[in-house]
Amino acid sequence: MIAVLNGVNLNMLGQRDPAQYGTLTLTELETQVYAWAAERSLTARCFQTNHEGAFVDHIHECRGWASGVILNPGAWTHYAYAIRDALEIVAVPKVEVHLSDIAAREEWRRHSVIADVVDHSISGRGAEGYRDALDWLREAIASA
Ligand code: DQA
């Protein structure tokens, strides 16, 4: 089971700047993720919240069932050390995904406080970044 965690403001996809985040709604993105996972003989379980504590709770909880984690924490990426610390105690492979290319945007978005506790980072590939993350995790789980 792959945990797919989307954080703050990602429930507003479809209404956010399409040049950065594309036109899919979160429901459409999650539908796509479920299909991509199934094509790869994986099962995804998607979760979104705008509440940092709930996001942390979910990271703790998925230690019981996830064999891999894909997460896009939204703006928390850039400052939420509590999320970083929660991820550090998750032993399974973890991939950070950003729809936009955070390295090519405002200065404050260029730094990810979770980058050193995830195994792989994908940025600027739009929704396909989640597909690439599933591919990466499938390899990582198979070769573990
Ligand atoms: C984001 C990038 C973040 O800087 C931003 O705050 C988001 C989404 C992305 O997917 O590109 O909310 O994580």
Side-chain angles (χ1 to χ4, degrees):
M1 184 76 71
I2 306 296
V4 181
L5 314 184
N6 284 299
V8 64
N9 290 311
L10 288 158
N11 61 313
M12 300 307 282
L13 288 178
Q15 296 176 62
R16 301 184 71 181
D17 180 2
Q20 297 294 351
Y21 304 116
T23 55
L24 292 187
T25 64
L26 179 64
T27 304
E28 289 165 345
L29 173 66
E30 289 179 344
T31 301
Q32 189 65 260
V33 166
Y34 290 129
W36 282 327
E39 283 166 20
R40 287 157 179 77
S41 305
L42 297 170
T43 307
R45 196 189 283 180
C46 296
F47 174 81
Q48 189 275 332
T49 181
N50 291 320
H51 302 276
E52 186 180 340
F55 199 80
V56 168
D57 282 344
H58 202 76
I59 292 170
H60 295 166
E61 197 240 315
C62 77
R63 296 169 76 210
W65 52 266
S67 51
V69 176
I70 295 171
L71 80 161
N72 181 352
W76 290 326
T77 304
H78 313 296
Y79 65 89
Y81 295 105
I83 291 173
R84 183 218 172 275
D85 284 352
L87 287 169
E88 197 174 19
I89 52 175
V90 176
V92 298
K94 301 170 284 284
V95 182
E96 167 186 12
V97 172
H98 301 286
L99 296 156
S100 65
D101 182 3
I102 58 172
R105 298 184 63 193
E106 302 94 316
E107 184 70 40
W108 63 269
R109 285 188 211 274
R110 294 188 194 157
H111 183 62
S112 163
V113 300
I114 67 167
D116 70 320
V117 291
V118 296
D119 302 285
H120 189 55
S121 298
I122 296 170
S123 187
R125 304 235 334 110
E128 278 69 30
Y130 291 77
R131 188 195 56 203
D132 295 351
L134 286 165
D135 281 333
W136 194 91
L137 280 179
R138 194 174 55 153
E139 288 294 311
I141 292 165
S143 60

